[in-house]
Amino acid sequence: MVEEYKLDNNQYTQEVTLGYFVNKVLKKQEDDYGQESANKTRERVCSAFSKCMELVNSNNQNKNVLFIGKVQSGKTSNLEMFTAFSFDNGYGCVVIYGGYDTKLLAQTSKRFKKTFDIVDDEIQNNNPELFSTNDDEEFESLDEDVLTKLIELKKPIILVSMKRPNALKKINNILSDIQKYNIKTFIIDDEGDQASLNTEFKKHKDSPTYKEIVEMKNLLNNPLYISVTATPQANVLLGAYSKLKPEKLFLIEPGNGYTGAEFFHFDDKHIVRVNDNDLTKLEQGKVPDSLRDAINYFLIASAIMKTIGYQYTDMIIHTHRTNKEHKEIYGYIFQYIDALKVSIKEKDDSLYEQLKSISSVYNEKYFSKNVLDLHPFDSIKEMLIDVIKDTNTILQDSLGTATQGNLKYKYHKIYIGGDLLQRGLTFKYLITTYFTRWPKNSGNMDTTIQRARRFGYRSKYLDLCKLFTTYKIQNEYTYLSDSESDLWEQCYLIENGELNIDDIVIDANSSSLNPTRKNVVNYKSVKFNRRWNNQKRIFLDKAINTTNNNFIKSFLSKFTYEPSLVGRINKNIPSCFFTKISKEDAIELIEKTSSIFDYEPFNRKDLIKLFEQYPVVIEKMFGLYNTNDDFRERTLNPDKTMILALQQGPDSADESNKTYKGDAYVIVDENAIIIQIFQIRPRLDKQTPLNEYEQFMFSIHVPESQKNSKKYVRN
């Protein structure tokens, strides 16, 4: 079967064969993800493959391509489909860098073996053969005789390597033999921003792993090299000094049901706040109440998950980097769960009190009202006992090997660890995360985003997903989400040919983090204005609020508004009511509003100057339901001066159920200054609204860059 795909710019036509391997992978992905999702992956990968082939067949010496996905968004399914396309279109070998530790490598090998039906001790089929540097016996036996047999049988070869110098040397030795047969080969560098890049470029040297990768590219005569990551900050800032600098990039869109930062950090309904006193206790080797509450939450949520048909659940505890602290926390949790198991086994009289203690978190601070109404505690008590009996504690570091085996028999797992709980590893049924680790000095955006293992396809049980973390970490992830959205917008422009990779700017406004490690790329900070400037400061001052509320109501009443459906997928409710106002009216709004425009990210004088350059549009983000009582509730930070995430994100992770893309998409005129106005009701926590401090708040969009806030570019 042959299909012809035309590129978006209509300048080229690339014939692409959809044969045995594409159909095999498509069928597997239909079974796993549904027909619609599988077809979207096939179409997306087909387009990317055709463009990659144009690059391979061009005179361009740079054959490096960057694939960018989201954390836990299913990038591997796209790599499987890309590999299938390559096998159907003349490639006989793919090298996959499957991670820098054995668990990531095993995860990659297992996925590809399952997808391509690779069975040990069976060669009489059309399926590929996979050899991993983890398996010394199999790999060392891949000699010339075996290669000759594979070629006779026309079986494609998948080589999976640890991303370490010794493992890559093994691959290079094999490739030297494979090249004798003129087998077309390409490289997939999974997590391509990690370990691959040259950490010694400033010394004009090659670091060991980078050196072996460059040697492999030379052996293969400049092959297609695909780097894949969810955190491309380092890759897009690479300069000509790197042999891994990307020439093209492609975005891997998440599938239906993906829940990323906008679902966890654009409001706080999935977050339980850990206070700074608990951090002090952790540093002192003590167990804070919030950690005990998180474990109890996990046990109850797992019981509810079990009642709705989920056999497995996961919890992550990420508080420290070092093994010593992991072991101490592991000891406490093991003893706590073990004591519960003993009480259940012996039918101890204390079990009632223990269950009562666990149930202390079964309230609206932790669970939604909907969950509480659907599952009264008495109705899940027996299921909770079953969950406790099947709960296991796993020490996910180098000391915990004995706890890490036979996971399929461990239905409810509590993982304690540090670096081995972040990048690459998938926790399929993660419902509870206790995350308090934060760098004492400035860390990096890419590393921090990778720690968000809670992201993924969790929309079916999102109501039960909770992140226990500090206000600072919650705040930083909101900033990181803004930066990620800005970067994706630039990548869309690059895919469409409207921007070059060299023009990328990393938005670090408000964040305390650097974009990436300074030992792998050269970058510098510059000053630009952000796309959206969201008010964060809120005022618990009745005099200020009364003055502002009266003035803004009077000001808004002067105009006639039109409804806008921008950002809406359904057509039932407007996104906003908007009107264009004069420069004079805009200046009046800024000058007569008390206090708000005296704080970051706003500046009265700068805003007034901008009104001289651009038209101004007001967007009322309330009254959408034909009522004046259209307030959004936002939780205060600990010192009661700020809120998080003024703008609302999308209303659903499932594309088929999504009706609203989010406030950031409501731009009725790209060439105007947009002033979004919200009615906000602050609250101390989810149960304590402060109605007496209801007030108007602002988000302002400026159409082009201005020089007054921090971003990073290639140096």
Side-chain angles (χ1 to χ4, degrees), residues 138-161:
E138 283 287 320
F139 204 84
E140 295 298 333
S141 67
L142 186 54
D143 56 21
E144 192 164 346
D145 290 340
V146 174
L147 281 173
T148 301
K149 179 59 68 176
L150 291 172
I151 291 160
E152 286 176 0
L153 294 170
K154 297 181 179 180
K155 292 175 77 68
I157 301 168
I158 301 174
L159 302 175
V160 182
S161 175

PDB file of all heavy atoms in Angstrom, residues 138-161:
ATOM      1  N   GLU A 138      23.370 -12.008  24.885  1.00  0.00           N
ATOM      2  CA  GLU A 138      22.759 -11.834  23.575  1.00  0.00           C
ATOM      3  C   GLU A 138      23.582 -10.875  22.712  1.00  0.00           C
ATOM      4  O   GLU A 138      23.786 -11.112  21.523  1.00  0.00           O
ATOM      5  CB  GLU A 138      21.330 -11.293  23.735  1.00  0.00           C
ATOM      6  CG  GLU A 138      20.321 -12.324  24.160  1.00  0.00           C
ATOM      7  CD  GLU A 138      19.979 -13.290  23.033  1.00  0.00           C
ATOM      8  OE1 GLU A 138      19.855 -12.855  21.879  1.00  0.00           O
ATOM      9  OE2 GLU A 138      19.857 -14.492  23.315  1.00  0.00           O
ATOM     10  N   PHE A 139      24.029  -9.815  23.339  1.00  0.00           N
ATOM     11  CA  PHE A 139      24.708  -8.779  22.560  1.00  0.00           C
ATOM     12  C   PHE A 139      26.069  -9.257  22.065  1.00  0.00           C
ATOM     13  O   PHE A 139      26.445  -9.017  20.913  1.00  0.00           O
ATOM     14  CB  PHE A 139      24.878  -7.510  23.420  1.00  0.00           C
ATOM     15  CG  PHE A 139      25.028  -6.267  22.588  1.00  0.00           C
ATOM     16  CD1 PHE A 139      23.912  -5.604  22.118  1.00  0.00           C
ATOM     17  CD2 PHE A 139      26.275  -5.778  22.256  1.00  0.00           C
ATOM     18  CE1 PHE A 139      24.035  -4.460  21.334  1.00  0.00           C
ATOM     19  CE2 PHE A 139      26.414  -4.644  21.475  1.00  0.00           C
ATOM     20  CZ  PHE A 139      25.289  -3.985  21.015  1.00  0.00           C
ATOM     21  N   GLU A 140      26.813  -9.929  22.933  1.00  0.00           N
ATOM     22  CA  GLU A 140      28.141 -10.403  22.539  1.00  0.00           C
ATOM     23  C   GLU A 140      28.059 -11.464  21.443  1.00  0.00           C
ATOM     24  O   GLU A 140      28.991 -11.648  20.661  1.00  0.00           O
ATOM     25  CB  GLU A 140      28.880 -10.977  23.759  1.00  0.00           C
ATOM     26  CG  GLU A 140      29.190  -9.959  24.849  1.00  0.00           C
ATOM     27  CD  GLU A 140      30.105  -8.844  24.382  1.00  0.00           C
ATOM     28  OE1 GLU A 140      30.893  -9.073  23.442  1.00  0.00           O
ATOM     29  OE2 GLU A 140      30.012  -7.731  24.942  1.00  0.00           O
ATOM     30  N   SER A 141      26.918 -12.161  21.375  1.00  0.00           N
ATOM     31  CA  SER A 141      26.769 -13.212  20.363  1.00  0.00           C
ATOM     32  C   SER A 141      26.330 -12.673  19.004  1.00  0.00           C
ATOM     33  O   SER A 141      26.155 -13.430  18.049  1.00  0.00           O
ATOM     34  CB  SER A 141      25.752 -14.256  20.842  1.00  0.00           C
ATOM     35  OG  SER A 141      24.457 -13.695  20.908  1.00  0.00           O
ATOM     36  N   LEU A 142      26.118 -11.345  18.914  1.00  0.00           N
ATOM     37  CA  LEU A 142      25.705 -10.740  17.647  1.00  0.00           C
ATOM     38  C   LEU A 142      26.931 -10.609  16.740  1.00  0.00           C
ATOM     39  O   LEU A 142      27.440  -9.528  16.481  1.00  0.00           O
ATOM     40  CB  LEU A 142      25.051  -9.376  17.904  1.00  0.00           C
ATOM     41  CG  LEU A 142      24.417  -8.662  16.704  1.00  0.00           C
ATOM     42  CD1 LEU A 142      23.411  -9.555  16.012  1.00  0.00           C
ATOM     43  CD2 LEU A 142      23.773  -7.363  17.150  1.00  0.00           C
ATOM     44  N   ASP A 143      27.398 -11.762  16.264  1.00  0.00           N
ATOM     45  CA  ASP A 143      28.606 -11.788  15.439  1.00  0.00           C
ATOM     46  C   ASP A 143      28.235 -11.800  13.962  1.00  0.00           C
ATOM     47  O   ASP A 143      27.064 -11.690  13.580  1.00  0.00           O
ATOM     48  CB  ASP A 143      29.476 -12.991  15.794  1.00  0.00           C
ATOM     49  CG  ASP A 143      28.722 -14.309  15.683  1.00  0.00           C
ATOM     50  OD1 ASP A 143      27.684 -14.356  14.971  1.00  0.00           O
ATOM     51  OD2 ASP A 143      29.157 -15.289  16.294  1.00  0.00           O
ATOM     52  N   GLU A 144      29.242 -12.007  13.101  1.00  0.00           N
ATOM     53  CA  GLU A 144      29.016 -11.934  11.662  1.00  0.00           C
ATOM     54  C   GLU A 144      28.067 -13.028  11.179  1.00  0.00           C
ATOM     55  O   GLU A 144      27.251 -12.806  10.273  1.00  0.00           O
ATOM     56  CB  GLU A 144      30.355 -12.017  10.918  1.00  0.00           C
ATOM     57  CG  GLU A 144      30.233 -11.654   9.450  1.00  0.00           C
ATOM     58  CD  GLU A 144      31.588 -11.357   8.830  1.00  0.00           C
ATOM     59  OE1 GLU A 144      32.572 -11.177   9.571  1.00  0.00           O
ATOM     60  OE2 GLU A 144      31.644 -11.315   7.589  1.00  0.00           O
ATOM     61  N   ASP A 145      28.126 -14.211  11.800  1.00  0.00           N
ATOM     62  CA  ASP A 145      27.235 -15.301  11.399  1.00  0.00           C
ATOM     63  C   ASP A 145      25.769 -14.941  11.671  1.00  0.00           C
ATOM     64  O   ASP A 145      24.890 -15.192  10.836  1.00  0.00           O
ATOM     65  CB  ASP A 145      27.595 -16.594  12.139  1.00  0.00           C
ATOM     66  CG  ASP A 145      28.915 -17.182  11.668  1.00  0.00           C
ATOM     67  OD1 ASP A 145      29.340 -16.829  10.544  1.00  0.00           O
ATOM     68  OD2 ASP A 145      29.511 -17.974  12.416  1.00  0.00           O
ATOM     69  N   VAL A 146      25.527 -14.378  12.859  1.00  0.00           N
ATOM     70  CA  VAL A 146      24.151 -13.998  13.212  1.00  0.00           C
ATOM     71  C   VAL A 146      23.670 -12.870  12.307  1.00  0.00           C
ATOM     72  O   VAL A 146      22.527 -12.874  11.821  1.00  0.00           O
ATOM     73  CB  VAL A 146      24.072 -13.581  14.698  1.00  0.00           C
ATOM     74  CG1 VAL A 146      22.680 -13.048  15.027  1.00  0.00           C
ATOM     75  CG2 VAL A 146      24.414 -14.756  15.598  1.00  0.00           C
ATOM     76  N   LEU A 147      24.543 -11.894  12.052  1.00  0.00           N
ATOM     77  CA  LEU A 147      24.170 -10.796  11.166  1.00  0.00           C
ATOM     78  C   LEU A 147      23.822 -11.307   9.770  1.00  0.00           C
ATOM     79  O   LEU A 147      22.844 -10.869   9.156  1.00  0.00           O
ATOM     80  CB  LEU A 147      25.309  -9.778  11.068  1.00  0.00           C
ATOM     81  CG  LEU A 147      25.464  -8.797  12.238  1.00  0.00           C
ATOM     82  CD1 LEU A 147      26.729  -7.972  12.065  1.00  0.00           C
ATOM     83  CD2 LEU A 147      24.251  -7.892  12.346  1.00  0.00           C
ATOM     84  N   THR A 148      24.616 -12.242   9.280  1.00  0.00           N
ATOM     85  CA  THR A 148      24.355 -12.806   7.956  1.00  0.00           C
ATOM     86  C   THR A 148      22.987 -13.473   7.914  1.00  0.00           C
ATOM     87  O   THR A 148      22.217 -13.319   6.952  1.00  0.00           O
ATOM     88  CB  THR A 148      25.446 -13.831   7.589  1.00  0.00           C
ATOM     89  OG1 THR A 148      26.719 -13.189   7.609  1.00  0.00           O
ATOM     90  CG2 THR A 148      25.202 -14.413   6.203  1.00  0.00           C
ATOM     91  N   LYS A 149      22.647 -14.209   8.985  1.00  0.00           N
ATOM     92  CA  LYS A 149      21.351 -14.887   9.050  1.00  0.00           C
ATOM     93  C   LYS A 149      20.206 -13.861   9.092  1.00  0.00           C
ATOM     94  O   LYS A 149      19.182 -14.032   8.411  1.00  0.00           O
ATOM     95  CB  LYS A 149      21.304 -15.795  10.279  1.00  0.00           C
ATOM     96  CG  LYS A 149      19.980 -16.553  10.460  1.00  0.00           C
ATOM     97  CD  LYS A 149      19.667 -17.446   9.263  1.00  0.00           C
ATOM     98  CE  LYS A 149      20.664 -18.602   9.173  1.00  0.00           C
ATOM     99  NZ  LYS A 149      20.302 -19.518   8.055  1.00  0.00           N
ATOM    100  N   LEU A 150      20.377 -12.804   9.870  1.00  0.00           N
ATOM    101  CA  LEU A 150      19.345 -11.764   9.952  1.00  0.00           C
ATOM    102  C   LEU A 150      19.106 -11.119   8.595  1.00  0.00           C
ATOM    103  O   LEU A 150      17.963 -10.842   8.207  1.00  0.00           O
ATOM    104  CB  LEU A 150      19.752 -10.695  10.973  1.00  0.00           C
ATOM    105  CG  LEU A 150      19.750 -11.111  12.443  1.00  0.00           C
ATOM    106  CD1 LEU A 150      20.353 -10.017  13.305  1.00  0.00           C
ATOM    107  CD2 LEU A 150      18.332 -11.416  12.911  1.00  0.00           C
ATOM    108  N   ILE A 151      20.188 -10.895   7.866  1.00  0.00           N
ATOM    109  CA  ILE A 151      20.073 -10.251   6.555  1.00  0.00           C
ATOM    110  C   ILE A 151      19.428 -11.195   5.552  1.00  0.00           C
ATOM    111  O   ILE A 151      18.601 -10.791   4.730  1.00  0.00           O
ATOM    112  CB  ILE A 151      21.462  -9.758   6.087  1.00  0.00           C
ATOM    113  CG1 ILE A 151      21.892  -8.589   6.975  1.00  0.00           C
ATOM    114  CG2 ILE A 151      21.441  -9.333   4.625  1.00  0.00           C
ATOM    115  CD1 ILE A 151      23.355  -8.304   6.981  1.00  0.00           C
ATOM    116  N   GLU A 152      19.760 -12.457   5.631  1.00  0.00           N
ATOM    117  CA  GLU A 152      19.124 -13.440   4.756  1.00  0.00           C
ATOM    118  C   GLU A 152      17.614 -13.484   4.996  1.00  0.00           C
ATOM    119  O   GLU A 152      16.820 -13.615   4.058  1.00  0.00           O
ATOM    120  CB  GLU A 152      19.714 -14.831   5.008  1.00  0.00           C
ATOM    121  CG  GLU A 152      21.109 -15.030   4.451  1.00  0.00           C
ATOM    122  CD  GLU A 152      21.663 -16.405   4.821  1.00  0.00           C
ATOM    123  OE1 GLU A 152      20.944 -17.174   5.512  1.00  0.00           O
ATOM    124  OE2 GLU A 152      22.809 -16.707   4.427  1.00  0.00           O
ATOM    125  N   LEU A 153      17.232 -13.407   6.258  1.00  0.00           N
ATOM    126  CA  LEU A 153      15.812 -13.452   6.621  1.00  0.00           C
ATOM    127  C   LEU A 153      15.116 -12.102   6.450  1.00  0.00           C
ATOM    128  O   LEU A 153      13.904 -11.996   6.676  1.00  0.00           O
ATOM    129  CB  LEU A 153      15.667 -13.914   8.080  1.00  0.00           C
ATOM    130  CG  LEU A 153      16.100 -15.349   8.377  1.00  0.00           C
ATOM    131  CD1 LEU A 153      16.129 -15.598   9.880  1.00  0.00           C
ATOM    132  CD2 LEU A 153      15.169 -16.340   7.687  1.00  0.00           C
ATOM    133  N   LYS A 154      15.895 -11.072   6.067  1.00  0.00           N
ATOM    134  CA  LYS A 154      15.373  -9.708   5.880  1.00  0.00           C
ATOM    135  C   LYS A 154      14.684  -9.190   7.137  1.00  0.00           C
ATOM    136  O   LYS A 154      13.622  -8.550   7.076  1.00  0.00           O
ATOM    137  CB  LYS A 154      14.421  -9.665   4.684  1.00  0.00           C
ATOM    138  CG  LYS A 154      15.088 -10.006   3.364  1.00  0.00           C
ATOM    139  CD  LYS A 154      14.117  -9.918   2.199  1.00  0.00           C
ATOM    140  CE  LYS A 154      14.831 -10.254   0.890  1.00  0.00           C
ATOM    141  NZ  LYS A 154      13.921 -10.189  -0.285  1.00  0.00           N
ATOM    142  N   LYS A 155      15.309  -9.482   8.253  1.00  0.00           N
ATOM    143  CA  LYS A 155      14.754  -9.034   9.529  1.00  0.00           C
ATOM    144  C   LYS A 155      15.424  -7.726   9.954  1.00  0.00           C
ATOM    145  O   LYS A 155      16.647  -7.663  10.067  1.00  0.00           O
ATOM    146  CB  LYS A 155      14.966 -10.100  10.615  1.00  0.00           C
ATOM    147  CG  LYS A 155      14.158 -11.365  10.381  1.00  0.00           C
ATOM    148  CD  LYS A 155      14.483 -12.434  11.393  1.00  0.00           C
ATOM    149  CE  LYS A 155      13.836 -12.157  12.731  1.00  0.00           C
ATOM    150  NZ  LYS A 155      12.361 -12.278  12.677  1.00  0.00           N
ATOM    151  N   PRO A 156      14.637  -6.673  10.191  1.00  0.00           N
ATOM    152  CA  PRO A 156      15.229  -5.423  10.690  1.00  0.00           C
ATOM    153  C   PRO A 156      15.867  -5.632  12.059  1.00  0.00           C
ATOM    154  O   PRO A 156      15.500  -6.553  12.803  1.00  0.00           O
ATOM    155  CB  PRO A 156      14.034  -4.479  10.785  1.00  0.00           C
ATOM    156  CG  PRO A 156      12.989  -5.076   9.904  1.00  0.00           C
ATOM    157  CD  PRO A 156      13.196  -6.559   9.987  1.00  0.00           C
ATOM    158  N   ILE A 157      16.803  -4.767  12.397  1.00  0.00           N
ATOM    159  CA  ILE A 157      17.562  -4.881  13.647  1.00  0.00           C
ATOM    160  C   ILE A 157      17.312  -3.642  14.497  1.00  0.00           C
ATOM    161  O   ILE A 157      17.425  -2.513  14.019  1.00  0.00           O
ATOM    162  CB  ILE A 157      19.067  -5.012  13.356  1.00  0.00           C
ATOM    163  CG1 ILE A 157      19.334  -6.245  12.491  1.00  0.00           C
ATOM    164  CG2 ILE A 157      19.871  -5.074  14.652  1.00  0.00           C
ATOM    165  CD1 ILE A 157      20.744  -6.285  11.925  1.00  0.00           C
ATOM    166  N   ILE A 158      16.976  -3.873  15.771  1.00  0.00           N
ATOM    167  CA  ILE A 158      16.835  -2.786  16.745  1.00  0.00           C
ATOM    168  C   ILE A 158      17.937  -2.957  17.787  1.00  0.00           C
ATOM    169  O   ILE A 158      18.001  -3.987  18.462  1.00  0.00           O
ATOM    170  CB  ILE A 158      15.453  -2.811  17.431  1.00  0.00           C
ATOM    171  CG1 ILE A 158      14.334  -2.689  16.393  1.00  0.00           C
ATOM    172  CG2 ILE A 158      15.345  -1.681  18.452  1.00  0.00           C
ATOM    173  CD1 ILE A 158      12.933  -2.861  16.976  1.00  0.00           C
ATOM    174  N   LEU A 159      18.800  -1.980  17.888  1.00  0.00           N
ATOM    175  CA  LEU A 159      19.875  -1.990  18.887  1.00  0.00           C
ATOM    176  C   LEU A 159      19.536  -0.961  19.963  1.00  0.00           C
ATOM    177  O   LEU A 159      19.408   0.229  19.670  1.00  0.00           O
ATOM    178  CB  LEU A 159      21.212  -1.639  18.237  1.00  0.00           C
ATOM    179  CG  LEU A 159      21.675  -2.533  17.080  1.00  0.00           C
ATOM    180  CD1 LEU A 159      22.964  -1.983  16.473  1.00  0.00           C
ATOM    181  CD2 LEU A 159      21.873  -3.967  17.552  1.00  0.00           C
ATOM    182  N   VAL A 160      19.374  -1.431  21.184  1.00  0.00           N
ATOM    183  CA  VAL A 160      19.019  -0.545  22.292  1.00  0.00           C
ATOM    184  C   VAL A 160      20.220  -0.411  23.207  1.00  0.00           C
ATOM    185  O   VAL A 160      20.764  -1.413  23.692  1.00  0.00           O
ATOM    186  CB  VAL A 160      17.807  -1.079  23.082  1.00  0.00           C
ATOM    187  CG1 VAL A 160      17.427  -0.105  24.193  1.00  0.00           C
ATOM    188  CG2 VAL A 160      16.621  -1.301  22.152  1.00  0.00           C
ATOM    189  N   SER A 161      20.636   0.824  23.448  1.00  0.00           N
ATOM    190  CA  SER A 161      21.878   1.051  24.190  1.00  0.00           C
ATOM    191  C   SER A 161      21.661   1.938  25.405  1.00  0.00           C
ATOM    192  O   SER A 161      20.889   2.898  25.360  1.00  0.00           O
ATOM    193  CB  SER A 161      22.912   1.714  23.276  1.00  0.00           C
ATOM    194  OG  SER A 161      24.079   2.057  24.002  1.00  0.00           O
TER     195      SER A 161
END
